[in-house]
């Protein structure tokens, strides 16, 4: 089975600064999909960004971008110009071609005003 | 359009009672997932329904847990003889699975049901 590891249980960032959340995964597959989800205190999980494994170009969504290193099995999330509303739990997720999802244990991000 | 909805949003029950948690997926989504999230923890996979295929029940922690999906839409997760360790947030997610497996098919989550077993 695939595993997803988020080694940073907690991170903090000053407002307007940049922060990077790390995620690594273990798989023997070549085709898969990766996601970052955000879970604010409201509990609602929200998709932040997604990446296809066979695309070398890193995905970008406004202030959010990823650094996808397929050989290293690494999928980090960079948040630029951090805002107070970015404070949340962030989960990295892996989906295989069997549509099974595997989630990391999450990183709690605090944004300091 | 409407997102994934779950009911109730909160449920308090006594140890030993049975509970039913409901999930209404996004219309047209063929895949439905249940997860359990204990306080401050990640998501623990419970069960996965895909169309008319037999569900993947590999994540159910015990035979006290069961789930069904009627008519390919609404799903109910049932926990029998609840225990205090069952206290958690139960999340439901649905996915379109269009063009699967070679498309994103990200999950859309409901707001969850917070279950407290006294």
């Amino acid at each position: 089975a695939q595993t997803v590891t988020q080694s940073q249980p907690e991170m903090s960032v000053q407002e307007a600064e940049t922060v990077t959340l790390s995620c690594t995964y273990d798989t023997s597959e070549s085709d898969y999909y990766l996601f970052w989800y955000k879970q604010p205190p409201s509990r609602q999980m929200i998709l932040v960004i997604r990446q296809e494994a066979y695309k070398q170009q890193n995905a970008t969504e406004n202030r959010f971008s990823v650094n996808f290193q397929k050989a290293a099995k690494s999928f980090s999330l960079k948040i630029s110009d951090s805002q107070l509303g970015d404070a949340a739990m962030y989960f990295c997720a892996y989906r295989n071609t069997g549509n099974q999802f595997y989630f990391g244990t999450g990183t709690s991000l605090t944004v300091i005003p | 359009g409407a997102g994934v909805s779950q009911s109730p949003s909160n449920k308090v029950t006594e140890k030993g009672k049975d509970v039913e948690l409901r999930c209404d997926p996004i219309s047209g989504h063929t895949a439905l997932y249940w997860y359990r999230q204990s306080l401050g923890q990640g998501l623990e996979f419970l069960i996965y329904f895909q169309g008319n295929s037999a569900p993947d029940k590999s994540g159910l922690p015990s035979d006290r847990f069961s789930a069904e999906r009627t008519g390919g839409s609404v799903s109910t997760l049932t926990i029998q003889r609840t225990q205090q360790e069952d206290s958690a947030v139960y999340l439901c997610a649905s996915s379109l699975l269009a063009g699967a497996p070679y498309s994103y098919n990200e999950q859309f989550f409901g707001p969850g049901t917070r279950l407290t077993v006294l």
Side-chain angles (χ1 to χ4, degrees):
Chain A
Q2 289 82 14
T3 58
V4 178
T5 301
Q6 292 180 250
S7 59
Q8 306 154 317
E10 298 179 345
M11 290 283 284
S12 62
V13 62
Q14 291 285 148
E15 194 175 3
E17 296 295 311
T18 296
V19 64
T20 298
L21 309 183
S22 66
C23 173
T24 58
Y25 55 93
D26 182 28
T27 184
S28 58
E29 299 182 332
S30 58
D31 291 332
Y32 49 87
Y33 298 82
L34 298 164
F35 307 87
W36 277 98
Y37 282 89
K38 169 185 177 181
Q39 187 181 41
S42 67
R43 262 185 358 221
Q44 181 71 58
M45 294 275 281
I46 303 163
L47 178 66
V48 174
I49 198 165
R50 58 191 190 180
Q51 174 84 40
E52 302 170 72
Y54 57 86
K55 282 192 175 179
Q56 293 185 340
Q57 185 174 3
N58 289 322
T60 299
E61 289 287 341
N62 300 314
R63 298 182 295 105
F64 298 87
S65 62
V66 298
N67 182 6
F68 174 49
Q69 301 290 328
K70 189 171 184 180
K73 299 178 183 176
S74 171
F75 182 61
S76 60
L77 173 70
K78 186 171 82 170
I79 307 174
S80 303
D81 186 25
S82 297
Q83 301 176 359
L84 295 178
D86 295 334
M89 196 77 166
Y90 286 82
F91 291 97
C92 178
Y94 169 107
R95 180 179 78 76
N96 63 19
T97 53
N99 297 309
Q100 294 168 313
F101 282 79
Y102 300 87
F103 287 81
T105 51
T107 296
S108 178
L109 179 66
T110 300
V111 180
I112 303 167
Chain B
V4 178
S5 61
Q6 291 185 246
S7 60
S9 57
N10 288 283
K11 176 71 176 179
V12 180
T13 191
E14 293 179 347
K15 178 181 174 181
K17 301 284 190 182
D18 297 353
V19 294
E20 285 189 350
L21 312 181
R22 176 187 169 105
C23 172
D24 281 272
I26 293 172
S27 178
H29 280 196
T30 57
L32 188 148
Y33 305 76
W34 282 99
Y35 296 91
R36 179 168 68 177
Q37 186 178 27
S38 300
L39 185 63
Q41 300 299 307
L43 277 67
E44 175 188 4
F45 166 75
L46 296 177
I47 189 169
Y48 160 44
F49 295 90
Q50 179 177 348
N52 296 320
S53 303
D56 176 356
K57 303 180 182 180
S58 60
L60 294 178
S62 77
D63 58 8
R64 297 187 296 105
F65 288 73
S66 63
E68 61 178 23
R69 188 178 185 192
T70 54
S73 181
V74 172
S75 177
T76 302
L77 176 69
T78 301
I79 308 173
Q80 296 179 308
R81 306 181 301 282
T82 52
Q83 304 295 312
Q84 289 183 328
E85 59 263 30
D86 298 334
S87 296
V89 173
Y90 289 82
L91 293 170
C92 173
S94 70
S95 177
L96 182 58
L97 291 192
Y102 303 109
S103 57
Y104 284 110
N105 292 316
E106 64 265 30
Q107 295 179 323
F108 294 83
F109 284 82
T113 294
R114 181 178 298 280
L115 175 66
T116 302
V117 182
L118 301 177

